[in-house]
Amino acid sequence: MNSKIVVATGNRGKLAEFSQLLGERFELLSQKDLKVDEAEETGLSFVENALLKARNAAAQTGLPALADDSGLCVNALNGAPGIYSARYAGNGASDTDNNAKLVEKLAGENNRRAHFHCALVFVRHATDPAPIICEGRWPGEIIDTARGGNGFGYDPHFYVAALDKTAAELSPEEKNRLSHRGQAVAAFVERFKEEMR
């Protein structure tokens, strides 16, 4: 198995997290650096979109590919922003824009429960009939006032009561151990080790 894996993301925050979690085992290359045209995310679930992205990156590079689709699901908003988390406030929206829309949508709402969800898909090649699919789920709640300077996306508004901290108040090491992406990557590493025996 090629130790080079293309990561199907242009998000530097995600790439940094993957590198911290998998960097010792694999050489991770960004699809952006390899000039991969992004896949159109036409799926209706995190798994569908991750699979589209992984197959697209593998097809364009000839390398094994790892993709995740992840986002924030808020109970009171019927799971929104969900698969639209990165563009909740519109295409090209910044983290600040997305967070502002989220807080506005939850104005007056008492049920603040939410979870981050990650679907991680690995394909050995573009037509891999048996991709490795792992998922992770990180429960918390949404707070109106941003706290913390770490992380990205909705992290400053995602409060974990057991820690009395937002995701943005955790160190990268703590977040990687607890987060939806950390859980999915840990499951992937175990699965990968089994298959490579």
Side-chain angles (χ1 to χ4, degrees), residues 33-127:
D33 294 338
L34 297 175
K35 308 285 190 269
V36 171
D37 294 324
E38 287 193 14
E40 198 176 333
E41 295 180 39
T42 55
L44 296 178
S45 68
F46 294 114
V47 169
E48 289 172 286
N49 282 335
L51 188 54
L52 287 168
K53 291 191 275 190
R55 290 199 191 283
N56 175 67
Q60 291 187 49
T61 63
L63 292 170
L66 183 67
D68 93 304
D69 200 49
S70 52
L72 179 70
C73 299
V74 180
N75 293 18
L77 302 178
N78 292 323
I83 60 170
Y84 305 105
S85 291
R87 52 192 186 278
Y88 191 41
N91 286 332
S94 68
D95 289 348
T96 303
D97 297 333
N98 288 331
N99 280 308
K101 180 173 180 179
L102 177 64
V103 169
E104 179 189 324
K105 287 280 188 187
L106 286 173
E109 177 59 60
N110 291 326
N111 179 2
R112 294 304 186 99
R113 285 180 301 151
H115 71 273
F116 274 122
H117 191 94
C118 174
L120 187 69
V121 172
F122 175 79
V123 294
R124 297 158 194 83
H125 51 83
T127 57

Side-chain angles (χ1 to χ4, degrees), residues 131-162:
I132 294 175
I133 299 172
C134 300
E135 294 181 271
R137 179 185 171 103
W138 191 20
E141 57 191 85
I142 304 304
I143 57 173
D144 287 337
T145 305
R147 285 173 33 185
N150 295 329
F152 62 96
Y154 298 96
D155 287 356
H157 290 273
F158 186 77
Y159 177 73
V160 182

Side-chain angles (χ1 to χ4, degrees), residues 18 21-22 66-70 117-121 132-138 176-192:
F18 278 129
L21 291 161
L22 293 170
L66 183 67
D68 93 304
D69 200 49
S70 52
H117 191 94
C118 174
L120 187 69
V121 172
I132 294 175
I133 299 172
C134 300
E135 294 181 271
R137 179 185 171 103
W138 191 20
N176 286 340
R177 193 166 35 80
L178 300 168
S179 77
H180 53 308
R181 192 167 294 111
Q183 293 172 37
V185 168
F188 165 70
V189 168
E190 286 309 305
R191 210 25 224 286
F192 194 82

